[in-house]
């Protein structure tokens, strides 16, 4: 399989992450993509740079220019503050910081970087350092190039995206995510493939992806994830969120109880696969997070490596033009094991 990855994605090197009131070392580290690229190359996949010098035109199909400009300039502005820390982190938030229906907000009236950081950063998981913007752009470029490859070939390609993307709203970064790579890939596919299904099996609900397409009749979003009543992102990912307006019925969430095993995980994926088939998309995007694996430090599920291989067969059997977009997965040993298994099974399952 053709896989796109840019070494500039390693330039995002966060040092701070808030967990239960403590600043700890981040789980979302450069080694995730570096080691995964090496392992997938060893497995025989073709790893190539996306060769897109300026992906902003593709990014702004999804994200407004004022949000992109914030991410570009935030670290320099923050560093100019007296006593500033090493990275941009918010310590204030607006009363309304985003909505499940994806309504785009205007730029903030605040001009100070502290106020703008609170507006554009949804949580304490998106520390912005000196290399963050370049890395996020390179990650988006990988998604764009994978999508354009599928447009040209009608086949399959993977974007080894890091930072990941499915928690990013149109105008808000959150959950380690700055640009929504799956949505950016979808818009790059759209000229040839107008009806798109985005299917997400990361252990966290892709709240940003849902919000972006919640009212879009041409995009189906299906997600299976850990029940958000006591798990990130907490505020959406529930089964009664089925779409809005023209997009009513095009969103399906299948939450899983903590401790869910292989059978439950595969059964939930079967539900979103079946719903996607009923939607009859022209192409699909897989938001592939490996963090449901039982060994992942953020997982509350009991999913084995074997389940991901079986999952690959089932997704491959759809036989549609497909972009696979890397999302979560924070155990280095687990992702090195399951990602090659999934891709091999996916290719085996293709009709």
């Amino acid at each position: 399989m053709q896989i796109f990855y840019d070494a500039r994605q390693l330039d995002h090197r966060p040092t701070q992450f808030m967990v239960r009131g403590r600043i700890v070392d981040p789980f979302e580290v450069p080694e995730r993509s570096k080691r995964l690229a090496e392992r997938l190359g060893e497995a025989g996949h073709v790893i190539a740079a996306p060769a897109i010098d300026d992906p902003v035109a593709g990014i702004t199909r999804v994200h407004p220019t004022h949000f992109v400009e914030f991410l570009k300039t935030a670290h320099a502005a923050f560093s100019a503050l007296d006593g500033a820390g090493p990275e941009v982190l918010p310590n204030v938030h607006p009363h309304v910081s985003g909505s499940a229906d994806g309504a785009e907000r205007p730029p903030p009236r605040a001009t100070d970087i502290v106020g703008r950081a609170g507006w554009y950063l949804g949580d304490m998981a998106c520390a912005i350092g000196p290399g963050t913007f370049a890395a996020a752009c390179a990650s988006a470029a990988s998604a764009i190039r994978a999508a354009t490859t599928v447009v040209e070939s009608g086949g399959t390609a993977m974007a080894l995206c890091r930072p990941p993307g499915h928690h990013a709203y149109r105008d808000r970064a959150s959950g380690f995510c700055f640009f929504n790579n799956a949505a950016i890939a979808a818009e790059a596919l759209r000229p040839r493939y107008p009806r798109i299904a985005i299917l997400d099996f990361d252990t966290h609900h892709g709240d940003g992806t849902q919000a972006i397409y919640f009212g879009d009749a041409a995009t189906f979003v299906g997600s299976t994830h850990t029940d958000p009543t006591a798990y990130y992102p907490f505020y959406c990912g529930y089964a009664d969120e089925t779409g809005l307006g023209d997009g009513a019925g095009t969103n399906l969430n299948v939450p899983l109880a903590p401790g869910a095993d292989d059978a439950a995980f595969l059964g939930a994926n079967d539900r979103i696969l079946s719903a996607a088939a009923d939607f009859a998309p022209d192409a699909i995007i897989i938001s592939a997070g490996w963090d449901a694996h039982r060994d992942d430090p953020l997982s509350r599920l009991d999913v084995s490596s074997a389940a991901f291989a079986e999952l690959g067969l089932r997704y491959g059997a759809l036989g549609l033009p497909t972009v696979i977009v890397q999302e979560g997965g924070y155990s280095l040993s687990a992702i090195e094991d399951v990602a090659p298994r999934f891709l091999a099974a996916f290719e085996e399952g293709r009709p």
Side-chain angles (χ1 to χ4, degrees), residues 142-198:
S142 294
I144 294 166
R145 188 68 185 93
T148 57
T149 296
V150 171
V151 167
E152 293 161 1
S153 68
T156 301
M158 181 178 185
L160 186 50
C161 290
R162 189 267 161 188
H166 70 156
H167 296 305
Y169 288 65
R170 288 193 185 274
D171 59 359
R172 192 182 81 197
S174 61
F176 306 142
C177 303
F178 298 91
F179 294 135
N180 194 300
N181 300 307
I184 290 166
E187 297 315 307
L189 287 174
R190 197 82 66 181
R192 180 173 178 182
Y193 304 113
R195 287 175 67 81
I196 295 171
I198 303 175

CSV table of all heavy atoms in Angstrom, one decimal, residues 142-198:
chain,number,residue,atom,x,y,z
A,142,SER,N,-0.1,15.0,4.2
A,142,SER,CA,-0.1,13.6,4.0
A,142,SER,C,-1.5,13.1,3.7
A,142,SER,O,-1.8,12.3,2.9
A,142,SER,CB,0.4,12.9,5.2
A,142,SER,OG,1.8,13.2,5.4
A,143,ALA,N,-2.5,13.7,4.4
A,143,ALA,CA,-3.9,13.3,4.2
A,143,ALA,C,-4.4,13.8,2.8
A,143,ALA,O,-5.1,13.0,2.0
A,143,ALA,CB,-4.8,14.0,5.2
A,144,ILE,N,-4.0,15.0,2.4
A,144,ILE,CA,-4.3,15.5,1.0
A,144,ILE,C,-3.7,14.6,-0.1
A,144,ILE,O,-4.4,14.2,-1.0
A,144,ILE,CB,-3.9,16.9,0.9
A,144,ILE,CG1,-4.7,17.8,1.8
A,144,ILE,CG2,-4.1,17.4,-0.6
A,144,ILE,CD1,-4.1,19.2,2.0
A,145,ARG,N,-2.4,14.3,0.1
A,145,ARG,CA,-1.8,13.5,-0.9
A,145,ARG,C,-2.3,12.1,-1.0
A,145,ARG,O,-2.5,11.5,-2.1
A,145,ARG,CB,-0.3,13.4,-0.6
A,145,ARG,CG,0.5,12.8,-1.8
A,145,ARG,CD,0.5,13.7,-3.0
A,145,ARG,NE,1.1,13.1,-4.2
A,145,ARG,CZ,0.5,12.3,-5.1
A,145,ARG,NH1,-0.8,12.2,-5.0
A,145,ARG,NH2,1.2,11.8,-6.1
A,146,ALA,N,-2.7,11.5,0.1
A,146,ALA,CA,-3.3,10.1,0.1
A,146,ALA,C,-4.7,10.2,-0.7
A,146,ALA,O,-5.0,9.3,-1.5
A,146,ALA,CB,-3.5,9.6,1.5
A,147,ALA,N,-5.4,11.3,-0.4
A,147,ALA,CA,-6.7,11.4,-1.1
A,147,ALA,C,-6.6,11.7,-2.6
A,147,ALA,O,-7.3,11.1,-3.4
A,147,ALA,CB,-7.5,12.6,-0.4
A,148,THR,N,-5.6,12.5,-3.0
A,148,THR,CA,-5.4,12.7,-4.4
A,148,THR,C,-4.9,11.5,-5.1
A,148,THR,O,-5.3,11.2,-6.3
A,148,THR,CB,-4.5,13.9,-4.6
A,148,THR,OG1,-3.2,13.7,-4.0
A,148,THR,CG2,-5.1,15.2,-4.1
A,149,THR,N,-4.2,10.7,-4.4
A,149,THR,CA,-3.7,9.4,-5.0
A,149,THR,C,-4.9,8.5,-5.2
A,149,THR,O,-5.0,7.8,-6.3
A,149,THR,CB,-2.7,8.7,-4.0
A,149,THR,OG1,-1.6,9.5,-3.9
A,149,THR,CG2,-2.3,7.3,-4.5
A,150,VAL,N,-5.9,8.4,-4.3
A,150,VAL,CA,-7.1,7.6,-4.5
A,150,VAL,C,-7.9,8.2,-5.6
A,150,VAL,O,-8.5,7.5,-6.4
A,150,VAL,CB,-7.8,7.5,-3.2
A,150,VAL,CG1,-9.2,6.9,-3.4
A,150,VAL,CG2,-7.0,6.7,-2.1
A,151,VAL,N,-8.0,9.5,-5.7
A,151,VAL,CA,-8.8,10.1,-6.8
A,151,VAL,C,-8.2,9.7,-8.2
A,151,VAL,O,-8.9,9.4,-9.1
A,151,VAL,CB,-8.8,11.7,-6.7
A,151,VAL,CG1,-9.2,12.4,-8.0
A,151,VAL,CG2,-9.6,12.1,-5.5
A,152,GLU,N,-6.9,9.7,-8.2
A,152,GLU,CA,-6.2,9.4,-9.5
A,152,GLU,C,-6.3,7.9,-9.8
A,152,GLU,O,-6.3,7.5,-11.0
A,152,GLU,CB,-4.7,9.8,-9.4
A,152,GLU,CG,-4.5,11.3,-9.3
A,152,GLU,CD,-3.1,11.7,-8.7
A,152,GLU,OE1,-2.3,10.7,-8.4
A,152,GLU,OE2,-2.9,12.9,-8.6
A,153,SER,N,-6.2,7.0,-8.8
A,153,SER,CA,-6.1,5.6,-9.0
A,153,SER,C,-7.4,4.8,-8.8
A,153,SER,O,-7.6,3.7,-9.3
A,153,SER,CB,-5.1,5.0,-8.0
A,153,SER,OG,-5.5,5.1,-6.7
A,154,GLY,N,-8.3,5.4,-8.0
A,154,GLY,CA,-9.5,4.6,-7.6
A,154,GLY,C,-9.3,3.5,-6.6
A,154,GLY,O,-10.2,2.7,-6.4
A,155,GLY,N,-8.1,3.5,-6.0
A,155,GLY,CA,-7.7,2.4,-5.1
A,155,GLY,C,-7.7,2.8,-3.7
A,155,GLY,O,-8.6,3.4,-3.1
A,156,THR,N,-6.5,2.6,-3.0
A,156,THR,CA,-6.4,2.8,-1.6
A,156,THR,C,-5.1,3.5,-1.3
A,156,THR,O,-4.1,3.2,-2.0
A,156,THR,CB,-6.4,1.4,-0.8
A,156,THR,OG1,-7.6,0.8,-1.1
A,156,THR,CG2,-6.3,1.7,0.7
A,157,ALA,N,-5.0,4.3,-0.3
A,157,ALA,CA,-3.8,4.9,0.2
A,157,ALA,C,-4.0,5.2,1.6
A,157,ALA,O,-5.1,5.4,2.1
A,157,ALA,CB,-3.4,6.2,-0.6
A,158,MET,N,-2.8,5.4,2.3
A,158,MET,CA,-2.9,5.7,3.8
A,158,MET,C,-2.1,7.0,4.0
A,158,MET,O,-1.1,7.2,3.4
A,158,MET,CB,-2.3,4.6,4.6
A,158,MET,CG,-2.3,4.8,6.1
A,158,MET,SD,-1.6,3.5,7.1
A,158,MET,CE,-1.9,4.1,8.8
A,159,ALA,N,-2.6,7.8,4.9
A,159,ALA,CA,-1.9,9.0,5.4
A,159,ALA,C,-1.5,8.7,6.9
A,159,ALA,O,-2.4,8.5,7.7
A,159,ALA,CB,-2.9,10.2,5.4
A,160,LEU,N,-0.2,8.6,7.1
A,160,LEU,CA,0.3,8.4,8.4
A,160,LEU,C,0.4,9.7,9.2
A,160,LEU,O,1.4,10.4,9.3
A,160,LEU,CB,1.7,7.8,8.3
A,160,LEU,CG,2.4,7.3,9.6
A,160,LEU,CD1,1.4,6.4,10.5
A,160,LEU,CD2,3.6,6.5,9.3
A,161,CYS,N,-0.8,10.2,9.6
A,161,CYS,CA,-1.0,11.5,10.2
A,161,CYS,C,-0.5,11.6,11.6
A,161,CYS,O,-1.0,10.8,12.4
A,161,CYS,CB,-2.4,12.0,10.0
A,161,CYS,SG,-2.9,12.3,8.3
A,162,ARG,N,0.3,12.6,11.9
A,162,ARG,CA,0.7,12.9,13.3
A,162,ARG,C,1.2,14.3,13.3
A,162,ARG,O,2.1,14.6,12.5
A,162,ARG,CB,1.7,11.9,13.7
A,162,ARG,CG,2.1,12.0,15.2
A,162,ARG,CD,3.2,12.9,15.4
A,162,ARG,NE,3.3,13.4,16.8
A,162,ARG,CZ,4.1,14.3,17.2
A,162,ARG,NH1,5.0,14.9,16.4
A,162,ARG,NH2,4.1,14.7,18.5
A,163,PRO,N,0.5,15.3,14.0
A,163,PRO,CA,-0.5,15.1,14.9
A,163,PRO,C,-1.8,14.5,14.3
A,163,PRO,O,-2.0,14.7,13.1
A,163,PRO,CB,-0.8,16.5,15.5
A,163,PRO,CG,0.3,17.3,15.1
A,163,PRO,CD,0.9,16.7,13.9
A,164,PRO,N,-2.6,13.8,15.1
A,164,PRO,CA,-3.8,13.2,14.6
A,164,PRO,C,-4.9,14.3,14.4
A,164,PRO,O,-4.5,15.5,14.5
A,164,PRO,CB,-4.3,12.2,15.7
A,164,PRO,CG,-3.7,12.8,16.9
A,164,PRO,CD,-2.4,13.5,16.5
A,165,GLY,N,-6.1,14.0,14.0
A,165,GLY,CA,-7.0,15.0,13.6
A,165,GLY,C,-8.5,14.9,14.1
A,165,GLY,O,-9.2,15.9,14.0
A,166,HIS,N,-9.0,13.8,14.5
A,166,HIS,CA,-10.5,13.7,14.6
A,166,HIS,C,-11.1,14.4,15.7
A,166,HIS,O,-12.4,14.5,15.7
A,166,HIS,CB,-10.9,12.2,14.6
A,166,HIS,CG,-10.6,11.4,15.8
A,166,HIS,ND1,-11.3,10.3,16.2
A,166,HIS,CD2,-9.6,11.6,16.8
A,166,HIS,CE1,-10.8,9.8,17.3
A,166,HIS,NE2,-9.8,10.6,17.7
A,167,HIS,N,-10.4,15.0,16.7
A,167,HIS,CA,-11.0,15.8,17.7
A,167,HIS,C,-11.0,17.3,17.3
A,167,HIS,O,-11.4,18.2,18.0
A,167,HIS,CB,-10.2,15.7,19.0
A,167,HIS,CG,-10.3,14.3,19.6
A,167,HIS,ND1,-11.5,13.7,19.9
A,167,HIS,CD2,-9.3,13.5,20.0
A,167,HIS,CE1,-11.3,12.5,20.4
A,167,HIS,NE2,-10.0,12.4,20.5
A,168,ALA,N,-10.4,17.7,16.1
A,168,ALA,CA,-10.3,19.1,15.7
A,168,ALA,C,-11.6,19.5,15.1
A,168,ALA,O,-12.1,18.9,14.1
A,168,ALA,CB,-9.1,19.2,14.7
A,169,TYR,N,-12.2,20.6,15.6
A,169,TYR,CA,-13.4,21.2,15.0
A,169,TYR,C,-12.9,22.1,13.9
A,169,TYR,O,-11.7,22.3,13.6
A,169,TYR,CB,-14.2,21.9,16.1
A,169,TYR,CG,-14.9,21.1,17.1
A,169,TYR,CD1,-14.2,20.2,17.9
A,169,TYR,CD2,-16.3,21.1,17.2
A,169,TYR,CE1,-14.8,19.4,18.9
A,169,TYR,CE2,-16.9,20.3,18.1
A,169,TYR,CZ,-16.2,19.5,18.9
A,169,TYR,OH,-16.9,18.7,19.9
A,170,ARG,N,-13.9,22.7,13.2
A,170,ARG,CA,-13.5,23.7,12.2
A,170,ARG,C,-12.6,24.8,12.7
A,170,ARG,O,-11.7,25.2,12.0
A,170,ARG,CB,-14.8,24.3,11.5
A,170,ARG,CG,-15.6,23.3,10.6
A,170,ARG,CD,-16.6,24.1,9.8
A,170,ARG,NE,-17.4,23.2,9.1
A,170,ARG,CZ,-17.1,22.7,7.9
A,170,ARG,NH1,-16.0,23.0,7.3
A,170,ARG,NH2,-17.9,21.9,7.2
A,171,ASP,N,-12.9,25.3,13.9
A,171,ASP,CA,-12.2,26.4,14.4
A,171,ASP,C,-11.7,26.2,15.8
A,171,ASP,O,-11.6,27.1,16.6
A,171,ASP,CB,-13.0,27.7,14.3
A,171,ASP,CG,-14.3,27.5,15.1
A,171,ASP,OD1,-14.6,26.5,15.7
A,171,ASP,OD2,-15.1,28.5,15.1
A,172,ARG,N,-11.4,24.9,16.2
A,172,ARG,CA,-10.9,24.6,17.5
A,172,ARG,C,-10.1,23.4,17.5
A,172,ARG,O,-10.5,22.3,17.0
A,172,ARG,CB,-12.1,24.4,18.5
A,172,ARG,CG,-11.7,24.4,19.9
A,172,ARG,CD,-13.0,24.2,20.8
A,172,ARG,NE,-13.3,22.8,20.9
A,172,ARG,CZ,-14.5,22.3,21.3
A,172,ARG,NH1,-15.4,23.1,21.6
A,172,ARG,NH2,-14.7,21.0,21.3
A,173,ALA,N,-8.9,23.5,18.1
A,173,ALA,CA,-8.0,22.3,18.3
A,173,ALA,C,-8.4,21.7,19.7
A,173,ALA,O,-8.8,22.4,20.6
A,173,ALA,CB,-6.6,22.7,18.3
A,174,SER,N,-8.3,20.4,19.8
A,174,SER,CA,-8.5,19.7,21.0
A,174,SER,C,-8.0,18.2,20.9
A,174,SER,O,-7.8,17.7,19.8
A,174,SER,CB,-10.0,19.7,21.4
A,174,SER,OG,-10.8,19.0,20.5
A,175,GLY,N,-7.8,17.6,22.0
A,175,GLY,CA,-7.5,16.2,22.1
A,175,GLY,C,-6.3,15.8,21.2
A,175,GLY,O,-6.4,14.8,20.5
A,176,PHE,N,-5.2,16.5,21.3
A,176,PHE,CA,-4.0,16.3,20.5
A,176,PHE,C,-4.1,16.7,19.1
A,176,PHE,O,-3.2,16.5,18.3
A,176,PHE,CB,-3.5,14.8,20.6
A,176,PHE,CG,-3.4,14.2,21.9
A,176,PHE,CD1,-3.8,12.8,22.1
A,176,PHE,CD2,-2.8,14.8,23.0
A,176,PHE,CE1,-3.6,12.2,23.4
A,176,PHE,CE2,-2.7,14.3,24.2
A,176,PHE,CZ,-3.1,13.0,24.4
A,177,CYS,N,-5.3,17.2,18.6
A,177,CYS,CA,-5.6,17.4,17.2
A,177,CYS,C,-5.7,18.9,16.9
A,177,CYS,O,-6.3,19.6,17.6
A,177,CYS,CB,-6.9,16.7,16.8
A,177,CYS,SG,-6.9,14.9,17.2
A,178,PHE,N,-5.0,19.3,15.8
A,178,PHE,CA,-5.0,20.7,15.3
A,178,PHE,C,-5.8,20.9,14.1
A,178,PHE,O,-6.7,21.7,14.0
A,178,PHE,CB,-3.6,21.1,15.2
A,178,PHE,CG,-2.8,21.1,16.4
A,178,PHE,CD1,-2.1,20.0,16.8
A,178,PHE,CD2,-2.9,22.2,17.3
A,178,PHE,CE1,-1.4,19.9,18.0
A,178,PHE,CE2,-2.2,22.1,18.5
A,178,PHE,CZ,-1.4,21.0,18.9
A,179,PHE,N,-5.6,20.1,13.0
A,179,PHE,CA,-6.4,20.1,11.8
A,179,PHE,C,-7.1,18.7,11.7
A,179,PHE,O,-6.5,17.7,12.0
A,179,PHE,CB,-5.5,20.3,10.6
A,179,PHE,CG,-4.9,21.7,10.5
A,179,PHE,CD1,-3.5,21.8,10.2
A,179,PHE,CD2,-5.6,22.9,10.8
A,179,PHE,CE1,-2.9,23.1,10.2
A,179,PHE,CE2,-5.0,24.1,10.8
A,179,PHE,CZ,-3.6,24.2,10.4
A,180,ASN,N,-8.3,18.8,11.2
A,180,ASN,CA,-9.1,17.5,11.0
A,180,ASN,C,-8.7,16.8,9.7
A,180,ASN,O,-9.2,17.1,8.7
A,180,ASN,CB,-10.6,17.8,11.1
A,180,ASN,CG,-11.3,16.5,11.3
A,180,ASN,OD1,-11.2,15.5,10.5
A,180,ASN,ND2,-12.1,16.4,12.4
A,181,ASN,N,-7.7,15.9,9.8
A,181,ASN,CA,-7.1,15.3,8.6
A,181,ASN,C,-8.1,14.5,7.9
A,181,ASN,O,-8.1,14.4,6.6
A,181,ASN,CB,-5.9,14.4,9.0
A,181,ASN,CG,-4.9,15.2,9.7
A,181,ASN,OD1,-4.4,16.2,9.2
A,181,ASN,ND2,-4.4,14.8,10.9
A,182,ALA,N,-9.1,13.8,8.6
A,182,ALA,CA,-10.1,13.0,7.9
A,182,ALA,C,-11.0,13.9,7.0
A,182,ALA,O,-11.3,13.6,5.9
A,182,ALA,CB,-10.9,12.2,8.9
A,183,ALA,N,-11.4,15.0,7.6
A,183,ALA,CA,-12.2,16.0,6.9
A,183,ALA,C,-11.5,16.6,5.7
A,183,ALA,O,-12.0,16.8,4.6
A,183,ALA,CB,-12.8,17.1,7.8
A,184,ILE,N,-10.2,16.9,5.9
A,184,ILE,CA,-9.4,17.5,4.8
A,184,ILE,C,-9.3,16.5,3.7
A,184,ILE,O,-9.4,16.8,2.5
A,184,ILE,CB,-8.0,17.9,5.4
A,184,ILE,CG1,-8.2,19.1,6.3
A,184,ILE,CG2,-7.0,18.2,4.3
A,184,ILE,CD1,-7.0,19.4,7.2
A,185,ALA,N,-9.1,15.2,4.0
A,185,ALA,CA,-9.0,14.1,3.0
A,185,ALA,C,-10.4,14.0,2.3
A,185,ALA,O,-10.4,13.9,1.1
A,185,ALA,CB,-8.7,12.8,3.6
A,186,ALA,N,-11.5,14.1,3.1
A,186,ALA,CA,-12.8,14.0,2.4
A,186,ALA,C,-13.0,15.1,1.4
A,186,ALA,O,-13.5,14.8,0.3
A,186,ALA,CB,-13.9,14.1,3.5
A,187,GLU,N,-12.6,16.3,1.7
A,187,GLU,CA,-12.8,17.4,0.8
A,187,GLU,C,-11.9,17.3,-0.4
A,187,GLU,O,-12.3,17.7,-1.5
A,187,GLU,CB,-12.7,18.8,1.5
A,187,GLU,CG,-13.7,19.0,2.6
A,187,GLU,CD,-15.1,18.6,2.2
A,187,GLU,OE1,-15.6,19.1,1.1
A,187,GLU,OE2,-15.8,17.8,2.8
A,188,ALA,N,-10.7,16.7,-0.3
A,188,ALA,CA,-9.9,16.4,-1.4
A,188,ALA,C,-10.4,15.3,-2.3
A,188,ALA,O,-10.2,15.3,-3.5
A,188,ALA,CB,-8.5,16.0,-0.9
A,189,LEU,N,-11.2,14.4,-1.7
A,189,LEU,CA,-11.9,13.3,-2.5
A,189,LEU,C,-13.1,13.8,-3.3
A,189,LEU,O,-13.5,13.3,-4.3
A,189,LEU,CB,-12.3,12.2,-1.6
A,189,LEU,CG,-11.3,11.3,-1.0
A,189,LEU,CD1,-11.9,10.3,0.0
A,189,LEU,CD2,-10.5,10.5,-2.1
A,190,ARG,N,-13.7,14.9,-2.7
A,190,ARG,CA,-15.1,15.2,-3.1
A,190,ARG,C,-15.2,15.5,-4.6
A,190,ARG,O,-16.3,15.1,-5.2
A,190,ARG,CB,-15.5,16.5,-2.3
A,190,ARG,CG,-17.0,16.7,-2.3
A,190,ARG,CD,-17.8,15.9,-1.3
A,190,ARG,NE,-17.4,16.2,0.0
A,190,ARG,CZ,-18.0,15.6,1.1
A,190,ARG,NH1,-18.9,14.6,0.9
A,190,ARG,NH2,-17.6,15.9,2.3
A,191,PRO,N,-14.3,16.1,-5.3
A,191,PRO,CA,-14.5,16.3,-6.8
A,191,PRO,C,-14.8,15.1,-7.6
A,191,PRO,O,-15.6,15.1,-8.5
A,191,PRO,CB,-13.2,16.9,-7.2
A,191,PRO,CG,-12.7,17.6,-6.0
A,191,PRO,CD,-13.0,16.7,-4.9
A,192,ARG,N,-14.2,13.9,-7.2
A,192,ARG,CA,-14.5,12.7,-7.9
A,192,ARG,C,-15.6,11.8,-7.2
A,192,ARG,O,-16.4,11.1,-7.8
A,192,ARG,CB,-13.3,11.9,-8.1
A,192,ARG,CG,-13.5,10.5,-8.8
A,192,ARG,CD,-12.2,9.8,-9.2
A,192,ARG,NE,-12.6,8.5,-9.8
A,192,ARG,CZ,-11.7,7.6,-10.2
A,192,ARG,NH1,-10.4,7.9,-10.1
A,192,ARG,NH2,-12.0,6.5,-10.8
A,193,TYR,N,-15.6,11.9,-5.8
A,193,TYR,CA,-16.4,11.0,-5.0
A,193,TYR,C,-17.3,11.9,-4.1
A,193,TYR,O,-17.0,12.3,-3.0
A,193,TYR,CB,-15.6,10.1,-4.2
A,193,TYR,CG,-14.6,9.3,-4.9
A,193,TYR,CD1,-13.2,9.4,-4.8
A,193,TYR,CD2,-15.1,8.3,-5.8
A,193,TYR,CE1,-12.3,8.6,-5.5
A,193,TYR,CE2,-14.2,7.5,-6.5
A,193,TYR,CZ,-12.8,7.7,-6.4
A,193,TYR,OH,-12.0,6.9,-7.1
A,194,PRO,N,-18.5,12.3,-4.6
A,194,PRO,CA,-19.3,13.3,-3.9
A,194,PRO,C,-19.9,12.7,-2.6
A,194,PRO,O,-20.2,13.5,-1.6
A,194,PRO,CB,-20.4,13.6,-4.9
A,194,PRO,CG,-20.5,12.6,-5.9
A,194,PRO,CD,-19.1,12.0,-6.0
A,195,ARG,N,-20.2,11.4,-2.5
A,195,ARG,CA,-20.8,10.8,-1.3
A,195,ARG,C,-19.7,10.0,-0.6
A,195,ARG,O,-19.1,9.1,-1.1
A,195,ARG,CB,-22.0,9.9,-1.6
A,195,ARG,CG,-23.2,10.6,-2.1
A,195,ARG,CD,-24.3,9.7,-2.5
A,195,ARG,NE,-24.8,8.9,-1.4
A,195,ARG,CZ,-25.7,9.3,-0.5
A,195,ARG,NH1,-26.2,10.5,-0.6
A,195,ARG,NH2,-26.2,8.5,0.5
A,196,ILE,N,-19.4,10.4,0.7
A,196,ILE,CA,-18.3,9.9,1.4
A,196,ILE,C,-18.8,9.4,2.8
A,196,ILE,O,-19.6,10.0,3.4
A,196,ILE,CB,-17.2,11.0,1.6
A,196,ILE,CG1,-16.6,11.3,0.2
A,196,ILE,CG2,-16.1,10.5,2.5
A,196,ILE,CD1,-15.7,12.5,0.2
A,197,ALA,N,-18.2,8.2,3.2
A,197,ALA,CA,-18.5,7.7,4.5
A,197,ALA,C,-17.1,7.8,5.3
A,197,ALA,O,-16.1,7.3,4.8
A,197,ALA,CB,-19.0,6.3,4.5
A,198,ILE,N,-17.2,8.4,6.5
A,198,ILE,CA,-16.0,8.4,7.4
A,198,ILE,C,-16.3,7.5,8.5
A,198,ILE,O,-17.3,7.7,9.3
A,198,ILE,CB,-15.7,9.8,7.9
A,198,ILE,CG1,-15.5,10.8,6.7
A,198,ILE,CG2,-14.5,9.8,8.8
A,198,ILE,CD1,-15.3,12.3,7.1
